Amino acid sequence: TGAQQSATVANPVSGASLDLLPHFQLEPEDVYIVKNKAVSLACRATPATQIYFKCNGEWVHQGDHITQHSTDRGTGLPVMEVRIEVTRQQVEKIFGLEEYWCQCVAWSSSGTTKSQKAFVRIAYLRKNFEQEPTAREVSIEQGIVLPCRPPEGIPPAEVEWLRNEELVDPELDANVYVTPEHSLVLRQARLADTANYTCVAKNIVARRRSTSAAITVYVNGGWSTWTQWSGCSTSCGRGWQKRSRTCTNPTPLNGGAFCEGQNVQKTACTTLCPVDGAWSEWSKWSVCGTECTHWRSRECSEPAPRNGGRDCHGPELDTRNCTSELCSHAAPGADDVALYVGLVAVAVCLVLLLLVGVLVYCRKKGGLDADVADSSILTAGFQPVSIKPSKADNPSLLTIQPDLSTTTMTYQGSLCPRQDGPAKLQLPNGHLLSPLGAGRHTLHHSSPAAEGAEFVARLSTQSYFRSLPRGTTNMAYGTFNFLGGRLMIPNTGISLLIPPDAIPRGKIYEVYLTLHKQEEVRLPLAGCQTLLSPIVSCGPPGVLLTRPAILAMGHCVEASAENWSIRLKKQSCEGTWEDVLQLGAEPCTELYYCQLEAQACYIFTEQLGRFALVGESLSMAASKRLKLVLFAPAACPSLEYNIRVYCLSDTQDVLKEVIQLEKQLGGQLIGAPRVLHFKDSYHNLRLSIHDMPSSLWKSKLLASYQEIPFYHIWSGLQPFLHCTFTLERLSPSTCELACKIWVWQVEGDGQSFTVNFNIAKDTRFSDWLVPDSEVGAPALVGPSAFKIPFLIRQKIISSLDPPGTRGADWRMLAQKLNLDSHLSFFASKSSPTAMILNLWEARHFPNGNLSQLAAAVAEVGKQDSALFAISEAEC
């Protein structure tokens, strides 16, 4: 009946049953005496003839017992219940020697039974806390521990916390918990946690309150970015200019420290004075000519206008009549008649040549086959070859290239199909390496500039295209049919692959690919969200394709599942941005899929539109890649010299824009760009300059470092963030500059740039710049857009799509190409092999190693006897 219960049998009766031993239905329990109130102990047993209490080993007097008798209705056995009262004086009589306890002993005809011991204790609660919380001032997001050790008491006191006299409930606030030692812990201090905190201890005797501890959560101030330098105070000569910043990023609160440093900077400036031009002396008169005139000239060179000065007014050439022995007026004669006859003959010849050209063009146009634009482009130029194909296990399986000299081209015009015949090209079911027949195609070229301007002007009349850029620098466009093709924006890493049969046969789409600047398109971001990629449009929007196109673009995220939640966003025709895909989760639609790699992402989409990759950090370990680029002027006419440090998202398109901007400003690139991992730690980016020879140069900045606020960089919506270090030469003859520029995130790792170059030397832009020849909108149409020949592609698809023996099908090919993590997506499509080959084309164009793909296909062929037999037969 209890841990301390024991039973003994005294004077046992011969043959008595053990069932007739007394057993307790109610035993005495531990109690506490509060103040001077006596407590009652009770026990009840059956069958029992006598029950007495024994306290601290001594029998309680029979007169102190209150006894009741009854009968158990279920067994008919007698039941006896006994109660006694214990007073505070009884307990205090032996206080300090041992604990006071009482126990029941019950008798029956078969023996005795003892109950468990019940301890009687005097309850109390001391007044003074052993440790009380103390007031503190903490910075925002800092952890707080408020200790509390309650007063000594019996029973031990329970502890609860009050915030401004309201109960703190850890179940309702995840930022708060109470330790087993009764300390209150705030994981990250918030402004709302500024309050008075009180520790409360209570038991059955009393309730005690500690002294209140005031917790103040403060925010240290932070500088905003510097404003732009004001204009020079003088329009001519030496003056000054200034810029300012405010301590509002963030504003100091609750006694937080104000920003250190100056809020205004002044620097000297020199404005070159304009010099108006003046004429030089007239030259001597020339010799009198046959037209009875002579002339003289002068130049605007004494001085020449410079620095915005006015140009010279008046003529620079003066003529007048003259007479001499060389001056004569001859009447028209035989020479003039011959000249006129010659001009008429040339005009007649030009007219005849034009007529011959028109006749030849009409004859060629009338002899074209039906639908040649839809079919002949596929087979044109694939001449029969006499080279013996390789075996199936040869890595050069796909490298035997037919003659493509007549069809490989860059398309920049319109694809013009003919509709004068019903015939269509039927693809043969030949061998894996069978060459295609010869053919011809009609691709008409036009001026890229004129075509682009006409294309953009036509699109801009529609409401959805009003946000497209008006120029064609960041746009690619072309006309495509069922053969597919590719659009690329040079030097941005952005491309659109339209696979074969993505456009229904018989239809022709005008497709464009556009890179938007962040200031052109408003992308709303919430919370810790950040833009990870360029904003790219491909269209026409809303057009559904029969096969997914693949949009490739760069990104700047160091992705890991535990640090990031990455979503693909698409803008609807109404202008709102919607989440269409969450990377790493099961796709909710088959229209979109995204493969994220180290530097780029590949978006499978069956619906064209405007896309962007947006991430939300899940921990402070999340980081973005920044590209740090240094520029300086190529020429230095004055004593001042500026070094500009750009902090860009690590994508090719942003770097291209900055290089083009600096080219216009006359800047030169200093060294190769560096990569910095910028973490979501709420810390700003600092930049400083060091190790500059003080005897030759001095810095004009008053502060020891410059800062770019965290949120300006993290959002990704301000693409060209930079800091300028203004230096001054102490001597005009100084041409060498050697220094170091440090770039680091506060409480994080950094990068050091060693700057050492000649500022007087004419330095050309490096290979990072965009060549002038790479303008316009390149488009590749038909077979020239793909590395894998069309019929070889079809043979691979027909061989690997059906389930193969021992798994030798498209699944093994995906494994060989390290794409087995996307098997569920490939399996959801009608041709998984086509999806794999399309992704290979998007990842490896134009420098893909076709031999490696051939080796992977050959390895799959070895596992499938049917496919291997095909390869052997073709050898």
Side-chain angles (χ1 to χ4, degrees):
T1 59
Q4 297 176 325
Q5 177 180 338
S6 62
T8 61
V9 179
N11 303 317
V13 179
S14 178
S17 174
L18 293 179
D19 292 339
L20 297 179
L21 283 173
H23 67 274
F24 286 94
Q25 296 178 340
L26 175 66
E27 297 187 71
E29 296 181 349
D30 296 345
V31 290
Y32 294 96
I33 297 177
V34 179
K35 297 182 180 180
N36 293 319
K37 296 180 180 179
V39 295
S40 176
L41 298 178
C43 62
R44 182 173 61 247
T46 181
T49 58
Q50 288 182 345
I51 299 178
Y52 291 101
F53 270 94
K54 179 186 287 188
C55 292
N56 278 50
E58 296 182 359
W59 293 101
V60 178
H61 192 274
Q62 182 178 3
D64 294 334
H65 291 72
I66 300 174
T67 306
Q68 289 183 352
H69 295 274
S70 62
T71 302
D72 192 322
R73 295 180 180 180
T75 61
L77 296 176
V79 177
M80 188 175 184
E81 182 174 346
V82 176
R83 294 180 180 272
I84 65 170
E85 286 192 350
V86 180
T87 64
R88 184 185 184 102
Q89 289 79 6
Q90 291 176 269
V91 176
E92 287 179 341
K93 182 184 296 185
I94 63 165
F95 185 76
L97 299 177
E98 59 182 17
E99 287 188 296
Y100 191 93
W101 57 269
C102 293
Q103 185 180 34
C104 279
V105 180
W107 281 266
S108 72
S109 59
S110 298
T112 62
T113 303
K114 295 181 181 180
S115 71
Q116 65 182 7
K117 289 182 179 181
F119 290 89
V120 181
R121 299 180 178 92
I122 299 175
Y124 67 94
L125 182 64
R126 306 292 186 192
K127 291 185 178 181
N128 296 326
F129 281 74
E130 295 185 10
Q131 185 178 11
E132 295 184 289
T134 56
R136 293 184 57 187
E137 293 183 354
V138 296
S139 175
I140 192 168
E141 296 183 357
Q142 180 180 340
I144 305 174
V145 178
L146 294 176
C148 176
R149 292 174 61 189
E152 179 186 351
I154 292 179
E158 297 178 356
V159 173
E160 61 185 19
W161 284 88
L162 302 180
R163 179 197 287 130
N164 288 343
E165 302 303 320
E166 293 185 1
L167 182 65
V168 176
D169 188 355
E171 298 293 333
L172 301 179
D173 189 350
N175 192 47
V176 177
Y177 71 94
V178 179
T179 67
E181 295 77 22
H182 309 299
S183 297
L184 179 67
V185 178
L186 303 180
R187 291 183 173 89
Q188 287 185 325
R190 304 160 297 189
L191 290 176
D193 293 326
T194 298
N196 292 323
Y197 290 82
T198 307
C199 180
V200 178
K202 61 180 180 179
N203 65 4
I204 60 176
V205 178
R207 172 187 172 101
R208 312 292 188 198
R209 291 168 53 97
S210 70
T211 57
S212 295
I215 299 299
T216 303
V217 181
Y218 63 86
V219 178
N220 291 327
W223 288 114
S224 66
T225 55
W226 288 102
T227 61
Q228 297 293 329
W229 286 103
S230 64
C232 200
S233 60
T234 60
S235 59
C236 176
R238 191 172 181 84
W240 57 270
Q241 55 185 161
K242 68 177 182 178
R243 64 177 182 175
S244 61
R245 58 180 178 175
T246 57
C247 190
T248 56
N249 186 35
T251 303
L253 293 174
N254 296 336
F258 198 76
C259 304
E260 296 181 1
Q262 297 182 343
N263 63 340
V264 176
Q265 284 185 348
K266 287 188 178 182
T267 182
C269 58
T270 302
T271 306
L272 298 178
C273 299
V275 177
D276 296 336
W279 292 112
S280 64
E281 296 293 332
W282 287 102
S283 65
K284 295 182 179 180
W285 289 103
S286 65
V287 179
C288 193
T290 57
E291 290 81 10
C292 298
T293 59
H294 63 170
W295 54 271
R296 64 177 181 173
S297 64
R298 59 181 177 174
E299 296 180 351
C300 187
S301 59
E302 293 185 2
R306 62 179 182 272
N307 304 330
R310 293 191 297 270
D311 205 352
C312 301
H313 294 283
E316 61 180 355
L317 187 66
D318 184 22
T319 60
R320 69 180 181 182
N321 294 331
C322 64
T323 56
S324 70
E325 65 278 2
L326 298 179
C327 181
S328 62
H329 296 278
D335 292 341
D336 294 335
V337 173
L339 176 62
Y340 297 148
V341 171
L343 292 175
V344 171
V346 170
V348 171
C349 291
L350 291 176
V351 172
L352 292 176
L353 288 175
L354 180 61
L355 292 176
V356 171
V358 171
L359 291 175
V360 171
Y361 171 74
C362 292
R363 178 172 298 179
K364 287 184 177 181
K365 185 175 181 182
L368 292 176
D369 296 334
D371 202 13
V372 68
D374 285 345
S375 59
S376 62
I377 189 172
L378 175 63
T379 58
F382 282 78
Q383 306 298 331
V385 293
S386 58
I387 302 174
K388 184 179 180 180
S390 303
K391 294 182 180 296
D393 57 352
N394 193 329
S396 61
L397 176 64
L398 303 181
T399 59
I400 301 179
Q401 296 293 322
D403 181 14
L404 301 178
S405 59
T406 61
T407 56
T408 303
M409 60 188 301
T410 299
Y411 168 71
Q412 292 180 331
S414 300
L415 182 64
C416 304
R418 299 272 301 176
Q419 302 295 337
D420 51 357
K424 289 285 184 178
L425 178 67
Q426 300 296 326
L427 296 179
N429 294 321
H431 291 302
L432 188 61
L433 296 177
S434 296
L436 303 177
R440 53 183 176 173
H441 58 84
T442 57
L443 282 178
H444 293 252
H445 294 265
S446 61
S447 169
E451 182 91 7
E454 178 185 354
F455 185 79
V456 174
R458 184 166 66 255
L459 291 181
S460 62
T461 59
Q462 304 181 35
S463 59
Y464 180 79
F465 300 99
R466 290 173 185 170
S467 60
L468 290 179
R470 291 295 178 263
T472 58
T473 304
N474 289 328
M475 174 181 283
Y477 51 89
T479 308
F480 300 89
N481 63 358
F482 76 98
L483 299 171
R486 185 188 304 266
L487 291 174
M488 297 173 292
I489 303 178
N491 296 300
T492 62
I494 299 172
S495 65
L496 179 67
L497 178 73
I498 305 173
D501 290 326
I503 298 175
R505 294 183 179 244
K507 292 186 178 294
I508 295 177
Y509 291 163
E510 273 189 329
V511 182
Y512 66 85
L513 179 66
T514 300
L515 167 64
H516 294 275
K517 297 180 180 179
Q518 275 84 353
E519 61 268 20
E520 296 173 348
V521 179
R522 183 178 180 274
L523 176 62
L525 299 177
C528 298
Q529 289 183 344
T530 174
L531 182 63
L532 301 176
S533 73
I535 301 175
V536 179
S537 291
C538 53
V543 172
L544 284 175
L545 304 174
T546 56
R547 301 279 192 278
I550 302 179
L551 176 63
M553 58 185 178
H555 66 80
C556 60
V557 62
E558 291 295 324
S560 58
E562 64 274 10
N563 295 335
W564 284 99
S565 172
I566 302 175
R567 289 177 170 83
L568 177 66
K569 286 184 174 289
K570 181 177 182 291
Q571 190 178 30
S572 65
C573 294
E574 292 77 16
T576 58
W577 287 89
E578 302 171 347
D579 293 340
V580 296
L581 182 67
Q582 180 175 357
L583 275 63
E586 288 295 328
C588 58
T589 174
E590 295 184 357
L591 292 178
Y592 309 99
Y593 188 77
C594 182
Q595 178 185 349
L596 190 69
E597 298 188 351
Q599 302 288 333
C601 63
Y602 299 91
I603 302 169
F604 292 77
T605 174
E606 297 182 15
Q607 191 173 34
L608 304 182
R610 184 168 297 160
F611 297 94
L613 207 62
V614 172
E616 183 173 1
S617 62
L618 302 180
S619 71
M620 291 188 180
S623 65
K624 293 175 58 176
R625 293 191 313 275
L626 297 185
K627 184 151 286 184
L628 306 177
V629 193
L630 271 65
F631 284 94
C636 183
S638 64
L639 296 178
E640 290 186 0
Y641 196 71
N642 295 325
I643 298 178
R644 292 180 290 276
V645 184
Y646 288 85
C647 304
L648 315 172
S649 297
D650 186 16
T651 56
Q652 295 183 38
D653 59 293
V654 181
L655 182 61
K656 171 186 174 182
E657 292 290 336
V658 170
I659 291 178
Q660 289 178 339
L661 174 64
E662 282 291 335
K663 189 175 182 180
Q664 297 174 1
L665 297 176
Q668 62 176 335
L669 186 66
I670 306 175
R674 308 283 182 88
V675 174
L676 176 70
H677 295 280
F678 190 76
K679 293 186 177 180
D680 182 18
S681 61
Y682 302 99
H683 293 302
N684 299 339
L685 194 70
R686 288 185 178 178
L687 304 93
S688 60
I689 189 167
H690 305 274
D691 300 343
M692 188 170 51
S694 58
S695 60
L696 301 177
W697 294 86
K698 72 174 182 179
S699 174
K700 302 188 70 176
L701 295 179
L702 300 179
S704 59
Y705 59 85
Q706 301 185 64
E707 274 193 353
I708 301 178
F710 169 83
Y711 289 103
H712 290 188
I713 298 176
W714 189 256
S715 68
L717 298 178
Q718 302 185 39
F720 305 141
L721 292 171
H722 70 278
C723 286
T724 301
F725 292 96
T726 303
L727 310 179
E728 185 176 10
R729 294 184 290 176
L730 301 182
S731 171
S733 61
T734 301
C735 296
E736 297 290 337
L737 174 61
C739 63
K740 282 188 177 181
I741 295 179
W742 280 94
V743 183
W744 77 100
Q745 191 175 6
V746 180
E747 299 184 8
D749 299 328
Q751 291 280 350
S752 169
F753 290 82
T754 300
V755 180
N756 191 349
F757 61 99
N758 191 324
I759 65 175
K761 184 178 179 181
D762 181 16
T763 306
R764 295 180 178 271
F765 271 73
S766 69
D767 295 337
W768 294 96
L769 296 179
V770 181
D772 292 336
S773 60
E774 294 193 12
V775 296
L780 299 177
V781 177
S784 60
F786 305 97
K787 294 280 292 182
I788 308 172
F790 185 82
L791 283 190
I792 294 178
R793 167 191 168 93
Q794 295 301 105
K795 180 60 69 176
I796 296 174
I797 292 173
S798 61
S799 300
L800 298 185
D801 270 352
T805 59
R806 291 177 291 181
D809 51 25
W810 62 270
R811 291 167 293 182
M812 182 176 293
L813 178 62
Q815 183 181 7
K816 298 293 182 184
L817 299 179
N818 297 321
L819 299 175
D820 45 342
S821 59
H822 310 286
L823 291 181
S824 59
F825 168 70
F826 297 146
S828 67
K829 300 302 176 184
S830 58
S831 175
T833 310
M835 295 297 102
I836 297 173
L837 298 181
N838 293 343
L839 180 56
W840 187 92
E841 292 276 9
R843 296 170 67 192
H844 296 91
F845 189 87
N847 301 317
N849 191 338
L850 208 58
S851 299
Q852 293 181 355
L853 177 61
V857 175
E859 289 183 21
V860 178
K862 291 179 182 179
Q863 305 296 325
D864 191 326
S865 58
L867 181 60
F868 187 72
I870 293 175
S871 302
E872 289 291 340
E874 290 168 352
C875 295

